[in-house]
Amino acid sequence: MKKVTVRTLKKYKDDHEKFSMLTAYDYSTAKYIDEAGVDVVLIGDSLAMTALGYDSTNSIGVEEMSIFTKAVARGVNHAMVVTDMPFMSYTIDISSALTNIGNMVKLGANAVKLEGCNDYTEKLIECTVNMGVPVMGHIGFTPQSQNVIGGHFIQGKTEDAANELLKQAKKLENAGAFSVVLEMVPEDVAKKITENINIPTISCGAGRYCDGFVMVCDDCFGKFGDFTPKFARKYGDMAELIRTCAKNYNNDVKSGKYPDESEIY
Ligand code: KIV
């Protein structure tokens, strides 16, 4: 299978073909996701909650994202590997942002994802692309700004807010972003954005008409149980599988059934 690049995703949009993106946080999960043919593997900062047990994405930094980026990149051959730049790693100044972004690429990322759209982000996207790193934008609900937003809310509900989102998507495209995640946006607004920009849109709770779709792997596999967003679809019950395996192992140890003759040296 050929490596997925920015050109592959653009072709999907131009050919009206959908593409998939899943998060991954470790080597073996990334390997299976890649083998399944998923187009983009995102080392999402959602790992702050799903893998590390924090209550928001703002608790982690470049150090943690670097470790998870290295692990995931080692497991992926075909998919595009995108790393989420964590809270405060790209907003202090352009110079430190470019250093942090460049380091993620050195560790194996093929692109980075940045939240928000303002004059600063636009400038940063231009500089990042000039440095040779593709940028995925992320607008609508942006979890790193949840304290300013005042919670987890659907964005773009009024006409003004919807127009503002369309403007932002166009600005990200003009700044050089190769795609944009739309999070918690009404379906009709996401559809309009998708029809009015030339780069792929990726739905994260933004309905059916985007070019690509993203889900947190722990939601997809039924592993993370603390909360599940409405737009997540559970394709398995890994939580139950883990509980069952651990329970059976525990019982076997305690009853003397593990290890048996075939499991000894
Ligand atoms: O952190 C994350 O996993 C994300 C996706 C859900 C888009 O940003």
Side-chain angles (χ1 to χ4, degrees), residues 42-62:
L42 173 71
I43 301 102
D45 60 359
S46 51
L47 70 84
M49 286 93 81
T50 57
L52 297 176
Y54 291 112
D55 59 9
S56 99
T57 57
N58 292 358
S59 304
I60 58 164
V62 176

Side-chain angles (χ1 to χ4, degrees), residues 8-256:
T8 322
L9 301 187
K10 176 72 171 101
K11 190 165 177 340
Y12 275 132
K13 180 176 180 93
D14 294 343
D15 294 348
H16 304 287
E17 272 184 54
K18 306 286 186 193
F19 63 87
S20 57
M21 171 156 116
L22 258 185
T23 66
Y25 316 119
D26 67 273
Y27 167 78
S28 54
T29 308
K31 201 160 184 278
Y32 303 141
I33 289 175
D34 190 52
E35 284 167 5
V38 168
D39 299 290
V40 184
V41 175
L42 173 71
I43 301 102
D45 60 359
S46 51
L47 70 84
M49 286 93 81
T50 57
L52 297 176
Y54 291 112
D55 59 9
S56 99
T57 57
N58 292 358
S59 304
I60 58 164
V62 176
E63 208 175 312
E64 287 95 342
M65 290 306 287
S66 301
I67 295 168
F68 289 97
T69 295
K70 280 192 276 188
V72 168
R74 286 187 204 112
V76 173
N77 284 316
H78 150 264
M80 173 187 268
V81 176
V82 181
T83 291
D84 238 349
M85 293 310 295
F87 182 58
M88 280 181 67
S89 69
Y90 59 98
T91 42
I92 307 298
D93 57 59
I94 300 270
S95 165
S96 62
L98 291 178
T99 304
N100 290 332
I101 289 168
N103 280 333
M104 291 304 174
V105 174
K106 286 188 186 170
L107 299 176
N110 305 127
V112 294
K113 178 162 79 60
L114 310 177
E115 289 186 12
C117 178
N118 53 39
D119 292 349
Y120 172 82
T121 349
E122 283 173 71
K123 177 84 193 135
L124 177 60
I125 292 172
E126 276 173 32
C127 294
T128 305
V129 176
N130 282 340
M131 182 170 78
V133 180
V135 176
M136 178 179 282
H138 182 157
I139 55 173
F141 177 65
T142 46
Q144 291 173 13
S145 305
Q146 61 184 272
N147 290 322
V148 172
I149 295 168
H152 288 63
F153 297 113
I154 301 163
Q155 304 293 303
K157 276 169 88 175
T158 63
E159 202 181 326
D160 282 353
N163 288 337
E164 176 56 26
L165 276 182
L166 176 58
K167 258 195 228 159
Q168 289 184 359
K170 285 185 174 166
K171 282 183 183 170
L172 292 178
E173 176 181 9
N174 291 336
F178 73 94
S179 61
V180 56
V181 170
L182 304 176
E183 179 159 354
M184 288 177 76
V185 171
E187 183 174 77
D188 58 332
V189 177
K191 184 171 188 277
K192 189 164 174 198
I193 295 173
T194 303
E195 288 166 354
N196 283 280
I197 62 173
N198 295 307
I199 55 172
T201 57
I202 302 170
S203 172
C204 180
R208 294 163 288 182
Y209 299 105
C210 288
D211 303 296
F213 297 83
V214 60
M215 220 199 286
V216 165
C217 62
D218 286 44
D219 290 335
C220 180
F221 307 152
K223 181 163 175 268
F224 185 67
D226 293 2
F227 63 89
T228 308
K230 182 181 179 198
F231 57 86
R233 185 181 292 180
K234 202 169 140 179
Y235 286 87
D237 198 345
M238 247 180 93
E240 196 44 39
L241 185 65
I242 292 171
R243 276 190 214 104
T244 305
C245 293
K247 202 164 139 192
N248 291 343
Y249 163 70
N250 183 45
N251 289 341
D252 283 356
V253 167
K254 296 198 172 147
S255 63

